[in-house]
């Protein structure tokens, strides 16, 4: 209650003191006096006083503080009643007395001005926009007319009758409207559903409009009951779920959340205006209770569990103006509909809960009277109250949340690990699959692919092969070789000793050495090292290689054998190379060796020297770069030379 | 078709199986529609008996002794009451008697009273004999049924008989709180609901003797 009446404006503390200087707090609305002084003041000039309702509320709060601390609750109660009376008078004076004196028409106009423009009613109209767009205009007009007459009727009775009479009037009006819908021609083509909705609309519209007059009217003692109930609940704040035998697991976070939701729902009831809206708040609250019971019990909850839980929620929520709200719903909700359906059931349960709380005794909590008294007087505080549970819950909540996060992380981690493993397996499988496939393909293809490829290659290049044959003439090459290096021939012929043998030896050497080169050519140019060509091809190759050789040299050229070159370049032996000229470097060395071994070598240099040195340095610059070949030739020529030697010796023997 | 809307309260001590009985009845009707796990203390169901549709609002109540004083709030405006006891616990039978006394004291309008002895599946531990219960039911002008929520026996009979009793009440027009509509209006939501097939077979005769052979129309609405 106190929280509901927060002062809208804060003033300095000094200004709050009573002007009479009695030390208590004063109030602007009471001309700066405290409640007591103002009361006395009022006694004197009661009728002169005018003021707003909000002011009264405002004052009431400060008055609360004051009287409670100073005089006590009973006094406060008394004062409050006086205020309530005053409020009634003010209400009657300022709003209704006047209007009741005037004509009904004026009053209804006044009423329209008062209520039709409020945002709530506008919103309500918008909510039902669909309904009205689906019905005819005459229906809409009639409904609005009914609402008007409804309002007028209620207002007419508002200032004369008691609240119960007013309730009766309202209930009658509901029935009148319901009957009107049944009887009137305007509504005949409407479905039952639409009629129900119209009934809903009328009830909501009227009640929202008349809320200020009908809710907790000053003529009743509702407000006092609210206060006493509120105090009662406050006194009972030590009651926990165990006392009520209700199976709410306070430490479970989901349950806790649902408890909060249920509490919020029941507290929200006070802010709703139409009785139906209040009822739906109750229904929402109760459904949440069933949900949380389901969590706690682990199955469908029964009424045996539901009622204690509802009592627990009401005790912990301590909803504002609970009694007023209940009375308001009982009086002004369409009775024929209230008591049918879910809303009615839950409302009845709420009434039961309230009645239980009001009449709560030690017996009803199954505890000794002394203990109950101790708790009620606040001497002893039970160990596990809801509040302490809440305190614990904070930590628990946090822990649960973090545990949940951890779990989540762990789950993700394991999922990730599993994913990685799966991926690994997949990769391995893929690898094996591919290997298998490749092996299979390899097993299948060597026989098929190669023949296929080579014939086609051969076919495709056959024309080139055909174009080649003329070079095959190299059968003539033998003379060519002899012809080509004229100088060599000359030198050889000049040697006289064994020109034929060296010439014969050369092709042999060359063949053995050049065979890898030939293959490389065949690979590169896809020329055919076919068997058919045989020796012809070889000899032909010689011709080829003699042409291609330069290219090979440049390809093979490496930088590392510079040192080898230098001595070769300046020595006489280099001149021996000259004798071979176009012949590959390999041939040079054997000839060199031959020369060195043969005494004839000394004879050769002299004529060649002047010719070649200048010419051959360029060639040697290329020649020295072929490092590997001299190594090989170093060995083979020695054999060759041996062979040559043998041949020589043989020939010499033969000659001899 | 005439429609009767009635409020049925289920009374009885804690643990006698009030809720299981109701859940069993409504749950069986809706097993393939809604799981009746939420809001298991308020149900509506409809039965067709002859040419009358009976809408039952079943209000489950808390059976604890401490809530005894609140019971009148529940059975205010009720048209029928199912008073349930546990045949294996004699004290629940005694408790039931006090419920009935209270009921009779507080409710002035005529009511359909049904005494239900639950848990016949525990026949071996029976403490309340069938004869005793029958005798008692007759003394308060009610019917006696035995049922087992576990085995789902005899529960339909309870509700069916209640519906038939309500129709009788409506015929006698003794009860003002009973809501009776004459719904000849084809636009009414009640009759516009589908699933009307086999209506003839589903109708029940008013003779009590033939009740056992009657079938219950599947209720269509439940909260």
């Amino acid at each position: 209650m106190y929280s509901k009446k927060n002062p809208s404006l804060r003033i300095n503390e000094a200004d709050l003191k009573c002007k009479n200087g009695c030390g208590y707090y004063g109030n602007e609305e009471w001309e700066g006096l405290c409640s007591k002084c103002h009361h006395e003041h009022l006694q004197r000039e009661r009728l002169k006083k005018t003021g707003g309702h909000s002011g009264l509320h405002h004052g009431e709060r400060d008055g609360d503080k004051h009287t409670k601390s100073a005089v006590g609750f009973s006094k406060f109660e008394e004062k409050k009643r006086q205020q309530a009376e005053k409020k009634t008078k003010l209400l009657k004076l300022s709003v209704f007395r006047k209007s009741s004196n005037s004509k009904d028409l004026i009053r209804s106009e006044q009423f329209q001005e008062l209520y039709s423009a409020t945002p709530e009613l506008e919103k309500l109209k918008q909510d039902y926009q669909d309904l009205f767009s689906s019905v005819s205009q005459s229906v809409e007009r009639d409904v609005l007319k009914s609402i008007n007459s409804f309002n007028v009727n209620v207002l007419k009775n508002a200032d004369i009758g008691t609240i119960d009479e007013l309730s009766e009037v309202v209930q009658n009006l509901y029935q009148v409207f319901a009957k009107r819908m049944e009887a009137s021609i305007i509504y005949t083509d409407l479905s039952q559903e639409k009629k129900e909705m119209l009934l809903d609309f009328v009830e909501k519209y009227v009640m929202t409009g008349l809320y200020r007059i009908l809710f907790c009217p000053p003529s009743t003692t509702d407000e006092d009951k609210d206060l006493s109930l509120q105090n009662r609940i406050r006194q009972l704040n030590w009651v926990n779920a165990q006392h009520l035998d209700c199976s709410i697991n306070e430490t479970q976070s989901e349950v806790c959340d649902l408890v909060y939701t249920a509490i919020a729902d029941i507290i929200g009831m006070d802010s709703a205006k139409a009785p139906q809206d209040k009822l739906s708040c109750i229904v929402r609250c109760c459904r949440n209770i069933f949900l949380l019971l389901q969590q706690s019990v682990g199955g469908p909850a029964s009424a045996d569990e539901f009622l204690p839980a509802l009592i627990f929620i009401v005790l912990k929520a301590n909803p504002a103006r609970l009694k007023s709200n209940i009375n308001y719903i009982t009086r002004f909700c369409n009775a024929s509909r209230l008591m049918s359906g879910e809303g009615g059931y839950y409302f009845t349960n709420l009434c039961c809960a309230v009645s239980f709380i009001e009449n709560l005794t030690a017996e009803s909590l199954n505890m000794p009277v002394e203990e109950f008294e101790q708790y009620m007087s606040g001497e002893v505080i039970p160990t596990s109250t809801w509040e302490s549970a809440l305190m614990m819950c904070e930590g628990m909540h946090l822990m649960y949340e973090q545990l949940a996060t951890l779990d989540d992380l762990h789950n993700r981690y394991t999922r990730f690990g599993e994913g990685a493993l799966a991926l690994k397996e997949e990769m391995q499988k893929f690898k094996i699959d591919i290997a298998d496939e490749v092996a299979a393909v390899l097993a299948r293809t060597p026989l098929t692919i190669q023949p296929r490829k080579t014939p086609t290659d051969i076919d495709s290049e056959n024309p080139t092969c055909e174009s080649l044959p003329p070079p095959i003439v190299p059968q003539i090459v033998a003379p060519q070789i002899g012809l080509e290096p004229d100088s060599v021939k000359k030198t050889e012929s000049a040697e006289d000793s064994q020109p034929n043998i060296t010439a014969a030896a050369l092709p042999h050497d060359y063949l053995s050495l050049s065979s890898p080169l030939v293959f490389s050519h065949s690979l590169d140019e896809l020329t055919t090292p076919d068997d058919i060509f045989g020796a012809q091809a070889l000899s032909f190759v010689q011709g080829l290689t003699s042409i291609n050789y330069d290219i090979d040299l440049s390809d093979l050229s490496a930088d590392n054998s510079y040192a080898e070159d230098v001595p070769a370049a300046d020595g006489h032996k280099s001149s021996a190379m000259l004798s071979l000229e176009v012949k590959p470097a390999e041939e040079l060395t054997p000839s060199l060796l031959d020369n060195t071994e043969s005494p004839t070598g000394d004879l050769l240099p002299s004529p060649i020297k002047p010719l070649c040195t200048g010419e051959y340095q360029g060639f040697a610059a290329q020649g020295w770069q072929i490092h590997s070949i001299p190594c090989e030739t170093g060995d083979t020529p020695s054999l060759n030379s041996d062979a040559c030697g043998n041949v020589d010796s043989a020939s010499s023997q033969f000659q001899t | 078709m005439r429609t009767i809307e009635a409020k049925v309260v289920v009374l009885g001590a804690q643990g006698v199986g009030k809720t299981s009985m109701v859940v069993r009845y409504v749950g069986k009707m809706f097993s393939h529609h809604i799981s009746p796990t939420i809001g298991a203390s308020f149900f509506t169901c409809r039965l067709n008996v002859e040419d009358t549709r009976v809408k039952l609002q079943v209000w489950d109540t808390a059976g604890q002794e401490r809530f005894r004083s609140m019971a009148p709030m529940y059975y205010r405006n009720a048209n029928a009451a199912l008073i349930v006891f546990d045949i294996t616990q004699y004290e629940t039978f005694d408790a039931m008697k006090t419920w009935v006394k209270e009921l009779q004291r507080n409710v002035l309008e005529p009511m359909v009273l049904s005494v239900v002895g639950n848990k016949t599946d525990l026949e071996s531990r029976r403490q309340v004999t069938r004869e005793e219960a029958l005798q008692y039911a007759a003394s308060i002008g009610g019917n006696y049924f035995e049922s087992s929520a576990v085995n789902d026996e005899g529960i339909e009979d309870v509700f069916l008989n209640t519906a038939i009793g309500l129709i009788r009440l409506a015929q006698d027009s003794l009860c003002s709180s009973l809501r009776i509509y004459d719904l000849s209006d084809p636009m009414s939501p009640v009759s516009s609901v589908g699933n009307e097939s086999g209506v003839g077979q589903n109708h029940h005769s008013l003779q009590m003797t033939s009740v056992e052979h009657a079938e219950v129309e599947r209720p269509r609405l439940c909260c």
Side-chain angles (χ1 to χ4, degrees):
Chain A
M1 180 58 88
Y2 300 134
S3 60
K4 277 269 134 189
K5 295 183 177 174
N6 271 330
S8 54
L9 183 71
R10 288 264 174 211
I11 316 160
N12 284 335
E13 181 140 354
D15 299 333
L16 290 171
K17 301 279 183 185
C18 175
K19 275 183 181 171
N20 268 7
C22 61
Y24 293 123
Y25 285 105
N27 193 296
E28 221 175 346
E29 293 296 331
W30 294 338
E31 295 158 21
L33 299 168
C34 76
S35 58
K36 207 173 171 185
C37 298
H38 179 65
H39 185 69
E40 286 161 7
H41 180 72
L42 257 186
Q43 295 276 338
R44 274 180 262 125
E45 35 184 331
R46 196 170 214 163
L47 290 172
K48 288 179 191 172
K49 180 81 189 79
T50 50
H53 321 272
S54 61
L56 284 171
H57 282 287
H58 189 145
E60 215 171 272
R61 200 215 171 225
D62 285 347
D64 286 351
K65 268 195 216 160
H66 174 183
T67 41
K68 227 185 170 183
S69 56
V71 206
F73 192 71
S74 57
K75 191 98 182 224
F76 163 66
E77 286 287 281
E78 188 193 313
K79 193 179 60 60
K80 241 190 62 55
R81 195 156 300 128
Q82 284 170 350
Q83 281 167 6
E85 280 163 23
K86 197 171 64 202
K87 210 195 299 183
T88 323
K89 259 175 209 146
L90 283 169
L91 274 170
K92 284 178 181 175
L93 275 171
S94 58
V95 186
F96 306 113
R97 190 64 76 187
K98 241 186 267 168
S99 57
S100 65
N101 291 338
S102 342
K103 283 176 186 175
D104 281 4
L105 187 71
I106 297 165
R107 183 164 52 195
S108 79
E109 273 173 7
Q110 214 173 24
F111 180 82
Q112 289 285 19
E113 277 174 78
L114 264 171
Y115 298 117
S116 64
T118 65
E120 278 156 331
L121 290 179
E122 286 302 313
K123 195 180 169 295
L124 196 64
K125 265 186 182 167
Q126 272 177 359
D127 287 349
Y128 281 84
Q129 197 65 51
D130 287 346
L131 176 68
F132 281 114
S133 59
S134 67
V135 299
S136 64
Q137 285 218 320
S138 57
V139 171
E140 189 176 345
R141 242 180 286 128
D142 194 70
V143 167
L144 290 177
K145 218 174 83 187
S146 305
I147 288 172
N148 251 340
S149 69
F150 200 121
N151 283 333
V152 171
N153 252 312
V154 172
L155 276 179
K156 205 164 35 180
N157 287 289
D159 44 353
I160 32 174
T162 65
I163 193 76
D164 290 327
E165 282 165 359
L166 209 56
S167 156
E168 217 165 287
V169 167
V170 170
Q171 296 294 348
N172 274 333
L173 287 169
Y174 286 141
Q175 280 184 17
V176 164
F177 181 70
K179 272 180 192 152
R180 186 189 174 84
M181 281 206 298
E182 292 299 322
S184 172
I185 332 148
I186 305 168
Y187 298 96
T188 42
D189 53 345
L190 282 182
S191 72
Q192 196 69 31
E193 214 173 320
K194 289 237 173 83
K195 282 179 187 170
E196 295 277 311
M197 281 170 81
L198 281 177
L199 213 56
D200 269 347
F201 174 74
V202 169
E203 192 181 334
K204 275 189 189 173
Y205 196 91
V206 170
M207 281 303 135
T208 312
L210 294 170
Y211 184 71
R212 272 169 54 185
I213 302 162
L214 297 182
F215 183 78
C216 187
S219 61
T220 63
T221 54
D222 285 357
E223 211 165 343
D224 299 339
K225 286 180 190 159
D226 283 340
L227 278 174
S228 59
L229 180 63
Q230 200 145 32
N231 280 319
R232 174 80 178 167
I233 291 176
R234 217 170 286 163
Q235 273 184 310
L236 288 168
N237 81 330
W238 52 270
V239 176
N240 60 30
Q242 279 73 46
H243 292 128
L244 292 165
D245 274 340
C246 104
S247 42
I248 290 180
N249 186 359
E250 290 166 4
T251 50
Q252 208 179 324
S253 61
E254 290 94 352
V255 171
C256 243
D257 288 344
L258 280 168
V259 168
Y260 288 136
T261 329
I263 286 175
D265 283 333
I266 193 103
I267 287 174
M269 178 178 70
D270 189 53
S271 56
K273 284 196 170 173
Q276 289 158 309
D277 293 338
K278 285 181 190 291
L279 263 187
S280 61
C281 285
I282 298 173
V283 170
R284 270 205 305 278
C285 168
C286 292
R287 285 194 175 149
N288 280 322
I289 292 172
F290 268 110
L291 275 180
L292 73 90
L293 281 178
Q294 220 182 329
Q295 291 262 357
S296 302
V297 180
S302 69
D304 288 350
E305 287 140 6
F306 169 69
L307 190 55
L310 181 63
I311 292 167
F312 177 76
I313 295 291
V314 171
L315 276 178
K316 294 311 157 196
N318 200 355
R321 298 190 284 183
L322 182 57
K323 201 78 188 176
S324 297
N325 277 301
I326 288 176
N327 285 337
Y328 174 69
I329 292 170
T330 326
R331 286 170 191 147
F332 299 111
C333 197
N334 194 340
S336 60
R337 309 175 75 210
L338 168 65
M339 283 313 143
S340 64
E342 211 178 359
Y345 177 71
Y346 290 134
F347 181 68
T348 308
N349 271 299
L350 182 65
C351 293
C352 279
V354 169
S355 134
F356 181 82
I357 290 166
E358 280 172 336
N359 304 311
L360 194 115
T361 59
E363 201 191 340
S364 47
L365 291 179
N366 294 328
M367 62 164 64
V369 180
E370 304 86 54
E371 201 186 339
F372 182 79
E373 289 301 326
Q374 277 178 333
Y375 286 146
M376 286 302 275
S377 60
E379 276 173 46
V380 183
I381 297 160
T383 45
S384 64
T385 57
W386 170 246
E387 278 71 25
S388 67
L390 280 187
M391 295 256 285
M392 269 165 55
C393 270
E394 277 317 301
M396 294 285 274
H397 255 243
L398 213 66
M399 205 178 78
Y400 274 122
E401 260 169 47
Q402 276 161 1
L403 276 177
T405 323
L406 263 179
D407 275 351
D408 184 46
L409 277 176
H410 186 254
N411 282 342
R412 280 200 213 174
Y413 169 75
T414 43
R415 247 182 293 142
F416 183 76
E418 279 164 16
L421 275 177
L423 187 68
K424 198 179 164 190
E425 263 171 51
E426 211 170 290
M427 277 166 73
Q428 275 173 346
K429 210 182 149 196
F430 182 74
K431 203 173 149 190
I432 293 164
D433 282 354
I434 289 294
D436 286 350
E437 216 166 294
V438 166
V441 168
L442 279 181
R444 203 158 17 96
T445 45
L447 292 169
T448 49
I449 281 182
Q450 274 189 341
R452 264 183 208 165
K453 265 193 178 172
T454 41
T456 49
D457 286 348
I458 288 162
D459 288 345
S460 65
E461 283 189 22
N462 264 345
T464 56
C465 284
E466 281 164 9
S467 66
L468 282 170
I472 288 176
V473 180
Q475 283 167 338
I476 315 158
V477 157
Q480 259 188 342
I481 292 170
L483 285 171
E484 261 186 302
D486 284 341
S487 58
V488 174
K489 214 181 179 184
K490 279 170 192 170
T491 51
E492 279 174 0
S493 60
E495 282 178 27
D496 283 333
S497 56
Q498 295 145 349
N500 293 330
I501 296 164
T502 46
L506 273 172
H508 284 293
D509 291 348
Y510 189 72
L511 276 176
S512 62
L513 287 165
S514 62
S515 57
L517 290 169
V518 172
F519 279 122
S520 69
H521 282 299
S522 72
L523 283 170
D524 290 341
E525 301 174 19
L526 294 166
T527 47
T528 55
D530 271 5
D531 299 335
I532 313 153
F533 288 91
Q536 280 186 346
L538 287 172
S539 58
F540 147 69
V541 159
Q542 274 183 335
L544 279 176
T545 44
S546 65
I547 299 158
N548 292 329
Y549 198 70
D550 286 340
I551 300 158
D552 285 338
L553 275 175
S554 63
D555 284 342
L556 289 165
S557 63
D559 308 335
N560 43 354
S561 56
Y562 184 77
E564 287 177 9
D565 179 58
V566 180
D570 58 353
H572 290 280
K573 289 131 198 180
S574 65
S575 60
M577 295 163 83
L578 199 147
S579 64
L580 295 167
E581 208 173 327
V582 191
K583 299 278 162 135
E586 300 99 51
E587 290 172 26
L588 297 177
T589 37
S591 64
L592 245 174
L593 287 166
D594 287 344
N595 290 335
T596 48
E597 279 178 16
S598 61
T600 53
D602 295 330
L603 297 173
L604 287 168
S606 52
I608 299 158
K609 233 179 191 175
L611 283 170
C612 306
T613 40
E615 221 183 78
Y616 231 80
Q617 272 172 348
F619 186 86
Q622 289 178 328
W624 57 258
Q625 285 175 344
I626 313 152
H627 55 101
S628 59
I629 296 165
C631 291
E632 281 176 31
T633 48
D635 292 335
T636 43
S638 62
L639 291 169
N640 289 337
S641 62
D642 287 347
C644 286
N646 291 334
V647 173
D648 286 353
S649 56
S651 60
S652 59
Q653 279 171 0
F654 186 75
Q655 280 179 341
T656 51
Chain B
M1 180 183 260
R2 205 159 63 131
T3 300
I4 296 174
E5 217 177 299
K7 175 176 157 184
V8 181
V9 281
V10 185
L11 303 169
Q14 189 178 16
V16 296
K18 298 184 296 293
T19 306
S20 348
M21 209 177 82
V22 180
V23 167
R24 174 64 84 172
Y25 178 68
V26 181
K28 193 175 64 172
M29 295 300 163
F30 293 99
S31 55
H32 44 283
H33 289 302
I34 312 153
S35 70
T37 45
I38 298 171
S41 58
F42 176 82
F43 302 101
T44 58
C45 53
R46 302 180 193 194
L47 294 93
N48 277 359
V49 182
E50 275 200 346
D51 61 342
T52 313
R53 189 184 294 269
V54 184
K55 279 165 86 174
L56 295 181
Q57 282 186 24
V58 185
W59 288 36
D60 197 1
T61 63
Q64 287 96 324
E65 188 61 35
R66 63 169 86 164
F67 300 130
R68 175 65 62 86
S69 57
M70 258 80 74
M73 287 191 188
Y74 286 104
Y75 50 68
R76 193 179 56 183
N77 293 328
N79 312 108
L82 308 179
I83 309 134
V84 189
F85 69 93
D86 182 352
I87 59 160
T88 66
Q89 286 176 297
Y90 199 87
E91 60 265 29
T92 62
F93 184 64
D94 277 341
M96 182 202 66
K97 287 180 184 170
T98 60
W99 286 104
V100 174
K101 266 183 212 150
E102 219 180 318
L103 201 62
Q104 285 172 330
R105 203 172 51 234
N106 286 304
V107 180
L108 303 171
E109 289 190 325
M111 263 179 120
V112 179
L113 289 180
S114 306
V115 179
V116 184
N118 198 20
K119 305 197 184 178
T120 52
D121 48 297
L122 302 172
E123 186 66 42
S124 55
R125 287 194 262 152
R126 181 191 275 271
Q127 289 180 359
V128 185
T129 62
R130 191 185 177 89
E131 289 69 37
E132 191 180 358
L134 267 172
Q135 207 181 341
Y136 176 74
S139 76
I140 60 163
N143 297 308
Y144 177 67
F145 303 92
E146 289 199 340
S147 70
S148 162
V150 176
N151 296 338
D152 190 16
E153 288 166 1
I155 296 171
E156 272 182 43
D157 283 353
V158 178
F159 285 90
L160 191 59
N161 264 287
T162 307
I164 289 164
L166 284 167
I167 292 168
R168 287 211 166 150
L169 269 188
Q171 278 171 342
D172 300 342
S173 62
L174 289 168
C175 193
S176 61
S177 65
L178 198 61
R179 303 216 295 163
I180 305 161
Y181 307 103
D182 245 339
L183 286 172
S184 51
D185 181 7
M187 293 296 284
S188 77
V190 179
S191 54
S192 65
V193 178
N195 195 18
E196 286 290 337
S197 60
V199 161
Q201 285 152 21
N202 285 342
H203 285 180
H204 310 294
S205 75
L206 274 179
Q207 277 76 47
M208 297 300 259
T209 49
S210 64
V211 159
E212 282 93 320
H213 313 292
E215 280 177 62
V216 184
E217 189 205 27
R218 306 259 145 191
R220 297 197 189 88
L221 191 105
C222 169
C223 302

